[in-house]
Amino acid sequence: MSDLYDELKQYNDSGAYAFHMPGHKRNNFYEFCDPFKIDITEIDGFDDLHHAEGILKECMDYAAQAYGTKKTYFLVNGSTAGLLSAVFATAEFGYEIIIARNCHKSVYNAVELRGAHPLYVYPDYIDEFGISGGINPEKVEELLKEHENVKAVVVVSPTYDGVCSDIKAIAEIVHKYNRVLVVDEAHGAHFKYNDCFPETAVRLGADIVIQSLHKTLPSLTQTALLHVCTDRVDVKKIEKYLSIFQSSSPSYVLMAGIDKCIKFMNNDGVVYMEEYCSRLRVLRQELAELKNIKMVSKAIVDKASVYDYDCGKIIISAAGFTAGKLLYDILRLRYNIQPEMCTVSCVTLMTSLCDSKEAFEHLEAALREINNHAGSKSELIKLLDGFADNYEGLAQGYTLENTPKEAGFDDNGSTDLKICDTMVINQQVYTPWHAVTLPKWSMDYRYIPGETVAEYVYIYPPGIPLLVPGEKINKADIKVIERYQNAGLKVHGLKNNKLVVVRRYGLPPD
């Protein structure tokens, strides 16, 4: 039986280049001590996170001052706890809530548990890379005009791919209709620390902003912040739901890590961030010269409703191929580079101020060599020869499509339902809460267009649902799922190719 601790030590000792979360990249940047020596409970003098009056209140007040907010709360259950609390505090059972369809699964969980009625605003599509663009503010206003019972609007900016929407414009629209704007800025905790990054939603008019320190800054996994930025937010409701969705025994190790991270970033971290941005600019300039490797850059700004872009995300694809999993395996097995994730089309590499100059140089050298073999997919596959135990098996698992994406089709053969490689416009039959409470059965997903799903379907990461409970599955969804599987990606929500659907009257199928 494997021992997790030993496996983690082995991974660290392997020397793998960590182009993935957490942002500290396994480096102790501010001499954090042995966690066992500071792991305590709510003893005298150390306050209570859920009723903070002493040292924890002082630490959170410091964070609020550092970020320029009215109130800032420590999250030890990640941004997930913050998003759940924000949705519960701003929406009510049975009322409508507008959410960006590319939000993280935790937002959908919050909507489901709250019994709210989601109205989806879909992002635009960046065809070249098969990724979501930004949220068009006009689409948000259209929904607000049509639906009087909307309580709040939730958008994600930046996305997992670094795409930022025009939060200032969206906030102005939301506030014109006297609603609350919640921004999932989990991937943007670093924005405030250097002008080379987009502006934070905290300064753009959002009412609630949730950030994950651990994604892009030197902080431990599960550490995050919830910012209350305006008087439109009922602070007592926020605190009530934070006490529900966070552990009643919050980790003092994690809370100390949050405090240390923020104080480090507001002092020495500013210098580290400037050096990191300089290295990042050089890396992106070098990679931009490659002919067969495409990289998402600020060239996408002002297209597909993209307002700004986080250049700390290195999103790459092989020109002309849907080769995300192949590039991922080459980087991991041949070059000892562990990326964050891959989709059918792209590989995501996450950088932070904790990445060394050596790490950037190694990544550049690897991508240059890959670029020289990226004229055809068969040449790319050869890079795995000698670096994979089951090279032949891996090679057979890569589809040899030569198109950047494959269109989806609805029941009438139309191609207009495809948004991107991870998203299809689906008809909503029930709210998520209703769908999961109705009788269900399992059916083979390949033969059920027209059925209503009762389970989430997604790849993780990034955890953005292709299908949400209550949505009707169509042929475009089936094609996307097949594409995931052909590309070697694990599809959550399927078991033996069966998908849980809302049961119709009659006997269950064989």
Side-chain angles (χ1 to χ4, degrees), residues 330-387:
I330 291 171
L331 287 167
R332 183 174 59 88
L333 298 171
R334 184 182 180 94
Y335 299 102
N336 204 22
I337 291 171
Q338 179 60 59
E340 168 69 19
M341 59 163 282
C342 69
T343 63
V344 173
S345 303
C346 301
V347 171
T348 298
L349 298 137
M350 293 186 63
T351 69
S352 83
L353 78 162
C354 299
D355 283 310
S356 66
K357 179 182 178 183
E358 176 197 40
F360 275 15
E361 290 174 345
H362 181 66
L363 176 61
E364 180 192 339
L367 290 176
R368 283 189 178 279
E369 187 171 347
I370 292 172
N371 176 74
N372 295 335
H373 289 79
S376 70
K377 188 168 290 188
S378 59
E379 285 299 309
L380 276 176
I381 291 174
K382 288 180 181 177
L383 287 174
L384 286 173
D385 193 8
F387 289 90

Side-chain angles (χ1 to χ4, degrees), residues 137-435:
E138 293 178 2
K139 292 181 181 179
V140 176
E141 182 154 29
E142 288 173 7
L143 286 173
L144 287 168
K145 280 181 179 178
E146 295 170 3
H147 299 272
E148 295 181 355
N149 289 328
V150 169
K151 292 294 184 180
V153 177
V154 184
V155 299
V156 54
S157 180
T159 66
Y160 216 125
D161 302 309
V163 171
C164 295
S165 297
D166 188 347
I167 296 301
K168 184 177 181 181
I170 293 172
E172 289 173 354
I173 290 168
V174 171
H175 295 156
K176 183 171 74 171
Y177 290 86
N178 198 28
R179 302 297 187 264
V180 174
L181 176 62
V182 178
V183 177
D184 175 358
E185 198 176 72
H187 284 264
H190 60 297
F191 281 3
K192 77 175 290 289
Y193 293 107
N194 198 282
D195 290 341
C196 77
F197 300 113
E199 184 65 275
T200 171
V202 169
R203 297 174 182 166
L204 294 174
D207 300 296
I208 300 174
V209 179
I210 295 99
Q211 298 173 332
S212 287
L213 296 179
H214 73 92
K215 293 187 189 301
T216 56
L217 294 178
S219 194
L220 295 168
T221 298
Q222 288 186 216
T223 56
L225 301 171
L226 185 150
H227 301 294
V228 174
C229 306
T230 72
D231 292 330
R232 294 181 183 86
V233 181
D234 188 332
V235 169
K236 290 192 178 299
K237 284 186 177 180
I238 289 288
E239 292 176 353
K240 171 186 175 180
Y241 290 112
L242 283 175
S243 70
I244 292 172
F245 292 115
Q246 296 217 88
S247 170
S248 59
S249 300
S251 167
Y252 276 82
V253 175
L254 295 181
M255 291 188 288
I258 293 173
D259 187 44
K260 269 287 206 181
C261 175
I262 294 171
K263 287 171 180 171
F264 168 77
M265 289 305 305
N266 279 277
N267 292 283
D268 294 343
V270 175
V271 177
Y272 281 95
M273 187 64 83
E274 187 62 43
E275 294 173 349
Y276 158 56
C277 288
S278 296
R279 293 196 300 272
L280 188 59
R281 279 190 285 268
V282 172
L283 174 66
R284 295 189 71 92
Q285 287 169 2
E286 295 296 327
L287 297 182
E289 298 176 358
L290 304 182
K291 303 300 182 185
N292 294 319
I293 294 289
K294 297 190 301 180
M295 176 180 62
V296 181
S297 70
K298 287 214 172 191
I300 65 172
V301 173
D302 294 329
K303 302 174 184 176
S305 297
V306 178
Y307 185 75
D308 208 341
Y309 182 69
D310 176 13
C311 289
K313 295 285 180 70
I314 307 294
I315 315 292
I316 60 169
S317 66
F321 302 111
T322 52
K325 185 63 165 61
L326 174 56
L327 288 175
Y328 178 93
D329 285 339
I330 291 171
L331 287 167
R332 183 174 59 88
L333 298 171
R334 184 182 180 94
Y335 299 102
N336 204 22
I337 291 171
Q338 179 60 59
E340 168 69 19
M341 59 163 282
C342 69
T343 63
V344 173
S345 303
C346 301
V347 171
T348 298
L349 298 137
M350 293 186 63
T351 69
S352 83
L353 78 162
C354 299
D355 283 310
S356 66
K357 179 182 178 183
E358 176 197 40
F360 275 15
E361 290 174 345
H362 181 66
L363 176 61
E364 180 192 339
L367 290 176
R368 283 189 178 279
E369 187 171 347
I370 292 172
N371 176 74
N372 295 335
H373 289 79
S376 70
K377 188 168 290 188
S378 59
E379 285 299 309
L380 276 176
I381 291 174
K382 288 180 181 177
L383 287 174
L384 286 173
D385 193 8
F387 289 90
D389 293 336
N390 188 17
Y391 163 65
E392 292 298 332
L394 283 173
Q396 291 172 7
Y398 302 119
T399 55
L400 297 178
E401 308 167 37
N402 287 315
T403 55
K405 73 183 184 72
E406 179 181 317
F409 296 89
D410 68 4
D411 293 336
N412 298 314
S414 170
T415 60
D416 63 357
L417 294 182
K418 184 72 175 292
I419 296 298
C420 67
D421 283 333
T422 58
M423 197 172 302
V424 173
I425 295 178
N426 298 303
Q427 179 186 348
Q428 186 181 150
V429 181
Y430 303 106
T431 67
W433 182 85
H434 279 103

